[in-house]
Amino acid sequence: DASETGESPDMVPGAPDLNRSGPGNRHPFSFAGGGAGARLPQNRRNRIETLSAAPENRTEPPGAVARRVIRGRDRAVLATRQRDADGWPYGSLVLAACDHGATPILLMSDLAEHTRNIAEDARVSLLYDGTAALADPLTGARVTVMGEAAITQEAGDRARYLARHATARGYADFGDFRFYRVRVTRAHLVAGFGRIDWIDAADLLCDVAGAADLVAAEHDIVAHMNDDHAGAIGLCANTLLGLDGTGGQMCGVDPEGLDLCRDGLLARLAFDRPVTSPEEARAALVALVARARSAT
């Protein structure tokens, strides 16, 4: 079947029609991936520094490298201008998410120092650190994103953030908490020695104008994968990302890959090429599961 061969679902005779449900089509996004009984490799090292199945590519555009760091990190250092200290920079730890194009999304309390600073000067920087667990951190990638923070009431921003940070559901509706988007101006990427780039917003963010169907279907895709293909998710996490343990869930999908959450750890699994529709995402997931099975 498609999950065994890695073929595109459209190339497999008798493959389910992804646009309808019914006999032979349990779900519009169904695929024949590993079920709950899929075999999971044991005793794998938790390689936090490589939470992406995408191979390193020195010719990859700086914007793509920076996006991978942003998408693969669930926290950042937020720098604001301290309102009552002559503008001295104030740094704080924040939990971070991003929309499908990689625009940062934050959830902050009105009572926090950084939020009070933003109320007077919306300019911020976010430092995403991709160097965790490297023997020499300075060889790893880190990205500073510069922009202006503004309150957002978009349901999609809320959903993306809470899918990544489930514990935030316990306080997201408190009266003093609000979601923010950071309107990116530019970014600075340091991807190891000799690779340093300033990146304009247009080159940093992923254009999702043609991926409206995928964005609209994200909730259904994630729910279906977690409900019906938990074993396939675990297999990819252990085999392709080298994570220890079992379990975990998909917590997001975008044109460039998917997010996995396990025991408080965020892992990023990149697609081989960008996708723009549920059908293309299904084919990309089938290929990832086939690759994971072939590696066991």
Side-chain angles (χ1 to χ4, degrees), residues 124-126 144-148 182-188 198:
V124 302
S125 290
L126 286 164
T144 299
V145 177
M146 305 170 69
E148 296 185 359
V182 176
R183 188 175 65 216
V184 177
T185 301
R186 61 176 180 163
H188 191 238
W198 280 103

Side-chain angles (χ1 to χ4, degrees), residues 9-270:
D10 294 334
M11 299 296 292
V12 180
D17 182 350
L18 297 176
N19 296 313
R20 61 180 176 83
S21 58
N25 291 65
R26 292 182 302 150
H27 185 280
F29 196 72
S30 290
F31 77 98
R39 182 164 55 94
L40 299 179
Q42 299 297 319
N43 302 319
R44 290 198 178 260
R45 180 169 170 257
N46 188 355
R47 297 177 297 176
I48 299 176
E49 74 276 17
T50 56
L51 295 185
S52 172
E56 182 179 357
N57 182 355
R58 295 288 295 182
T59 64
E60 189 176 16
V65 177
R67 278 197 307 277
R68 190 163 67 245
V69 175
I70 293 168
R71 293 190 191 279
R73 298 298 170 265
D74 65 353
R75 67 202 68 186
V77 175
L78 171 67
T80 56
R81 185 177 183 272
Q82 187 61 29
R83 67 197 182 285
D84 56 3
D86 296 326
W88 281 82
Y90 176 84
S92 52
L93 177 67
V94 292
L95 299 182
C98 61
D99 71 4
H100 300 87
T103 292
I105 303 169
L106 309 174
L107 174 62
M108 299 184 292
S109 167
D110 294 342
L111 305 178
E113 284 292 321
H114 47 241
T115 311
R116 293 179 176 182
N117 292 340
I118 288 170
E120 294 195 11
D121 187 339
R123 293 175 299 173
V124 302
S125 290
L126 286 164
L127 172 62
Y128 294 87
D129 180 6
T131 69
L134 291 178
D136 185 352
L138 294 182
T139 64
R142 54 271 197 197
V143 183
T144 299
V145 177
M146 305 170 69
E148 296 185 359
I151 293 173
T152 173
Q153 296 181 347
E154 292 291 330
D157 293 340
R158 174 188 173 92
R160 289 277 294 179
Y161 187 96
L162 294 180
R164 179 175 285 204
H165 300 290
T167 57
R169 296 180 185 275
Y171 54 83
D173 291 321
F174 287 2
D176 60 302
F177 275 86
R178 306 179 203 291
F179 290 94
Y180 287 77
R181 287 173 64 89
V182 176
R183 188 175 65 216
V184 177
T185 301
R186 61 176 180 163
H188 191 238
L189 169 71
V190 181
F193 297 112
R195 186 163 193 188
I196 302 172
D197 295 278
W198 280 103
I199 309 168
D200 291 334
D203 296 321
L204 175 69
L205 303 178
C206 176
D207 184 2
V208 296
D213 290 345
L214 176 65
V215 171
E218 179 184 27
H219 178 270
D220 289 343
I221 293 171
V222 170
H224 170 66
M225 290 299 297
N226 288 333
D227 291 344
D228 294 347
H229 300 291
I233 294 172
L235 182 66
C236 289
N238 287 68
T239 305
L240 301 183
L241 295 174
L243 299 182
D244 287 328
T246 59
Q249 291 189 320
M250 182 189 295
C251 55
V253 63
D254 57 69
E256 296 181 311
L258 57 97
D259 299 328
L260 303 177
C261 298
R262 174 185 282 180
D263 297 329
L265 179 68
L266 174 71
R268 178 74 181 171
L269 192 56

